[in-house]
Amino acid sequence: MDTLHDLGGREGFGPLPLDGQDQPFHHDWEGRMWGIARTCRVRSITIDWFRHGLERMVPADYLTQSYFEKWCATYFALLIDAGVFTEADVAAGTLATPGTPAAPMDLAEVLAINRASHASFAVEPTAPPRFALGDRVKTRRHIAAAHTRLPAYARDRVGEVIAHHGAHVFPDEGAHGRRVADHLYTIAFAATELWGETANPKDSVTLDLWERYCV
Amino acid sequence: MSSYDSERAAALHRHLHSHLPSDPALRVKTLESLVVERGLVAPETIDAWVEAYSEEIGPKRGAAVVARSWTDPGFRGRLLEDAAEAIKEFGFEGSATGHLKAVANTPSCHNLVVCTLCSCYPFSILGMSPAWYKSTEYRARAVREPRAVLAEFGVILPDAVGIRVWDSTAELRYLVIPERPEGTEGWEEARLAALVTRNAMIGAERRLRVG
C-alpha cells in the first residue's frame, strides 16, 4: 500500500531538526516506551506486521507524531488485535483480568538479552538465485501487497546488483505471519536514474531488495 | 494470535486516536500499566533497559570499532567482509546488528545512511538514534538531495566526490567508517576512538576534528 510512511524522495519538507539535543531519550516516556518494546515480545507480531501496523496509523498522526509516539500507538493497536488486552481495558486503564506478574530483570540480564538478540533473518532458499553480481535488473512498477519494502521512488527503475545476501524472509508475506524465503540483493541505482539528469552523475542510492521486487 | 488484517489495524488506530489521552506521557503510562498487569514486563526491567541504552550502549561502541579499523588492517578486513561477525570481537553484537554492513569512506566516495520507510538503525553499536535521523525531513530528503542535507551539517562536498546513500530497506544495517584524520599517526586506539562521532558513523559528518 502506498501510505504516507513511504517518504523517500518526497519534496516540500524544510530543514532538518538539528536542535543540538543529543541525549538518548528526550523524555522519560520515550525511555519507558523503549523498555516496553524491548521486552514485550508477542510471537505472532512479526517485524513486518509491526511495521505494517505503523503504516496503518491515522495518516495525519503518522506525519505529526514522533518516533516513540508512533510505537506507542502501534503497540496499543497490535496488542488489542492479538488479544493481549481489549479496547475496554485501554479505556479503563487497567485489565479486567490481570495475569501473573513478570519477574523483574536487572541491568546484567537486560544486557545479556540485548546481546542475544543479534538475530539473523536469513532462511534456507527454496530456489537458486536468478541474479548475479554485476547484473542490471529492473524493479517492478506495481506492488499489490499491503506491506512492502520496495519504496515508490525505486519502482520501475534499473539498477546494478552489487551484493547477494542469500535468502531472507520476504516482508510482504512476513506482514501476514508467513515465513517465505526469497533472495535478497543490494542494488545500486544511479541518482540520475532515480531523479533525472539534474542529479550528480557520481551519486547513487543503494537499496536492499528481494528478488520478487524485480521483473 | 494476530489477525494480520490490514484494515482491522487501521480501524483500531482510528478508534484509539479518538479515545487515548493527547499527552504522550499519559498514553505510554497507560500502555505500561496494561502490559505490566498482563505479566509481559516488570517496571524494573524497563528501568534496566533505559539504563542499558543511557549508560552502557551508545556510539562509543561504534567509535571503538572504527578506531580499531584504522590501526589493525586485519580487523579492518574482517569488518568490511562481515561486520556482524567482526563486532563480536568486542561483544557489541545485539539489537539490529545481525546483518551489520560496514562501508568505508574514501577520498572519492562518501557514504550516507538512511531508512526512508521507517527509521531502521543499528542500535547495539550506535545506541539510540538521533531525532533528526527519525525526522520526516531526513527520511524524505536524504535519498533525493543528499548534498543539500549534508550542507545542513556543514559538510560541503565537491562535485567530484560521489555520494552513495544506503537506504536500509531490509534487515541489513549500515555503519560508515570515516577516513582516519591526518596528524594522528602513532595514536593509540582509545585516543583515536575519542575523535569518532555518531554523526560520522551515519555519514552526516566527513572530516573528523583532531584536538
Side-chain angles (χ1 to χ4, degrees):
Chain A
M1 290 180 68
D2 292 332
T3 59
L4 278 175
H5 76 283
D6 189 356
L7 286 165
R10 301 271 180 173
E11 297 183 282
F13 288 96
L16 307 182
L18 301 174
D19 57 6
Q21 294 183 9
D22 248 4
Q23 61 271 44
F25 304 106
H26 293 81
H27 305 281
D28 287 346
W29 60 265
E30 293 186 343
R32 306 311 290 174
M33 190 59 237
W34 173 250
I36 291 168
R38 290 298 96 187
T39 316
C40 288
R41 298 299 170 92
V42 175
R43 279 188 70 88
S44 65
I45 302 179
T46 62
I47 191 164
D48 285 296
W49 174 234
F50 179 70
R51 288 194 181 121
H52 192 57
L54 286 163
E55 293 158 13
R56 293 313 312 268
M57 283 182 66
V58 173
D61 287 354
Y62 189 89
L63 279 184
T64 52
Q65 290 192 7
S66 69
Y67 184 67
F68 284 116
E69 285 182 271
K70 291 188 193 110
W71 280 27
C72 181
T74 301
Y75 269 85
F76 272 120
L78 297 193
L79 291 176
I80 291 170
D81 175 67
V84 172
F85 47 70
T86 66
E87 286 188 82
D89 293 330
V90 175
T94 186
L95 293 187
T97 52
T100 309
M105 285 186 249
D106 63 16
L107 179 63
E109 290 170 286
V110 154
L111 287 172
I113 287 173
N114 181 72
R115 202 167 166 187
S117 68
H118 184 80
S120 172
F121 291 82
V123 285
E124 199 58 38
T126 50
R130 278 170 55 207
F131 307 127
L133 298 191
D135 281 1
R136 293 186 66 74
V137 298
K138 189 172 194 176
T139 52
R140 291 174 59 174
R141 186 174 178 190
H142 298 291
I143 292 284
H147 173 71
T148 183
R149 299 289 286 182
L150 175 61
Y153 79 86
R155 293 183 197 162
D156 196 27
R157 296 290 197 277
V158 175
E160 180 186 340
V161 174
I162 62 167
H164 173 227
H165 306 288
H168 281 215
V169 288
F170 184 54
D172 307 39
E173 295 288 341
H176 296 286
R178 297 187 285 264
R179 272 177 84 83
V180 173
D182 194 29
H183 288 280
L184 179 70
Y185 306 88
T186 301
I187 300 178
F189 298 87
T192 48
E193 166 74 3
L194 297 173
W195 315 115
E197 295 308 315
T198 55
N200 186 309
K202 291 192 180 299
D203 293 352
S204 59
V205 181
T206 73
L207 295 90
D208 300 316
L209 299 177
W210 282 263
E211 199 168 89
R212 289 173 194 211
Y213 294 158
C214 300
V215 294
Chain B
M1 188 61 192
S2 297
S3 69
Y4 305 114
D5 178 344
S6 181
E7 293 308 323
R8 175 170 155 82
L12 283 166
H13 272 302
R14 282 193 294 272
H15 194 236
L16 288 160
H17 169 89
S18 39
H19 288 86
L20 286 171
S22 60
D23 179 358
L26 289 177
R27 290 200 296 270
V28 174
K29 195 175 174 191
T30 301
L31 178 64
E32 181 176 335
S33 298
L34 297 177
V35 293
V36 166
E37 287 179 36
R38 178 52 71 223
L40 287 175
V41 58
E44 297 87 343
T45 307
I46 300 175
D47 299 339
W49 277 107
V50 172
E51 188 181 353
Y53 272 84
S54 300
E55 310 294 337
E56 307 283 335
I57 300 170
K60 283 186 176 168
R61 287 182 158 197
V65 171
V66 169
R68 186 166 299 174
S69 81
W70 290 340
T71 59
D72 179 345
F75 177 74
R76 187 181 181 88
R78 293 194 293 282
L79 184 68
L80 292 171
E81 176 67 28
D82 185 350
E85 261 318 291
I87 60 169
K88 290 182 180 173
E89 297 177 30
F90 293 83
F92 290 164
E93 73 275 17
S95 295
T97 56
H99 299 280
L100 188 68
K101 168 85 180 155
V103 291
N105 288 344
T106 68
S108 61
C109 178
H110 183 79
N111 296 284
L112 181 68
V113 181
V114 65
C115 169
T116 61
L117 294 173
C118 38
S119 295
C120 295
Y121 196 70
F123 294 112
S124 190
I125 196 93
L126 294 183
M128 302 310 299
S129 49
W132 61 260
Y133 181 85
K134 297 175 281 197
S135 69
T136 49
E137 291 85 357
Y138 185 70
R139 287 168 53 192
R141 296 175 56 207
V143 286
R144 187 167 194 144
E145 44 171 9
R147 287 167 193 272
V149 164
L150 285 171
E152 288 178 28
F153 289 96
V155 179
I156 311 294
L157 283 182
D159 283 349
V161 177
I163 302 178
R164 172 153 280 182
V165 183
W166 302 81
D167 189 356
S168 314
T169 44
E171 299 315 327
L172 275 81
R173 300 288 170 270
Y174 292 91
L175 175 72
V176 176
I177 309 295
E179 290 181 275
R180 180 173 176 163
E182 289 175 12
T184 60
E185 294 74 16
W187 287 28
E188 290 178 358
E189 251 180 67
R191 195 175 170 202
L192 288 168
L195 303 177
V196 183
T197 63
R198 178 201 60 206
N199 283 7
M201 292 182 282
I202 305 172
E205 191 179 338
R206 181 159 169 90
R207 292 195 180 284
L208 297 173
R209 280 204 301 270
V210 178

